[in-house]
Amino acid sequence: MIIAAPTPERGARGDQLRRRCRKLAILKQLVVGTHRFGELRRALPGITQRMLTRQLRELEADGLVTRTVYREVPPRVEYALTDVGHSLDSITEELDKWGRWYRETVRPEGPSGPRPPA
């Protein structure tokens, strides 16, 4: 899932969509299994550490992700989907397919390309 760069014409709606896309990208990574923070960060190169932390906390608060802290030195933290989070597996896959279709057919030039007709 590609996260589009911010542009002035997208405004507040575009910001909300990017935040949701980030959450979907995180969920998509966690569908395959448990990940540590650093693994998620490497898998999602367009997201900052602060934003990833914020998104993971929101997903945890929503009951979609569990955070497990192991008392080790250095501390190890792992993230995994809950049963509720796994209930979104097929939806996440369908949205990912739609996103690929959209990039290939509607916006083949990328996020700064021509806008689709309204």
Side-chain angles (χ1 to χ4, degrees):
M1 188 170 288
I2 294 180
I3 301 168
T7 60
E9 61 271 5
R10 288 195 186 129
R13 271 195 191 165
D15 290 342
Q16 284 181 333
L17 182 59
R18 273 189 303 284
R19 280 194 296 275
R20 288 192 177 107
C21 287
R22 286 185 190 117
K23 285 183 181 180
L24 284 171
I26 293 167
L27 291 173
K28 189 171 183 320
Q29 291 299 316
L30 293 173
V31 163
V32 296
T34 301
H35 288 285
R36 294 176 72 173
F37 184 88
E39 293 170 332
L40 288 170
R41 180 98 192 272
R42 286 187 294 278
L44 304 164
I47 193 168
T48 65
Q49 181 174 338
R50 179 175 180 252
M51 184 56 68
L52 180 56
T53 300
R54 178 185 293 171
Q55 299 296 315
L56 285 166
R57 285 181 183 160
E58 288 178 11
L59 288 167
E60 186 181 8
D62 292 338
L64 302 175
V65 171
T66 59
R67 179 178 185 262
T68 305
V69 180
Y70 295 91
R71 295 180 184 225
E72 301 175 350
V73 178
R76 178 170 51 119
V77 179
E78 292 182 338
Y79 295 91
L81 289 180
T82 63
D83 290 340
V84 175
H86 274 295
S87 72
L88 296 171
D89 289 358
S90 60
I91 296 168
T92 302
E93 180 59 33
E94 288 299 315
L95 285 170
D96 189 51
K97 282 178 14 186
W98 181 87
R100 280 183 265 132
W101 169 84
Y102 183 82
R103 283 191 312 274
E104 292 167 6
T105 58
V106 178
R107 289 198 177 243
E109 295 87 12
S112 59
R115 297 184 65 92

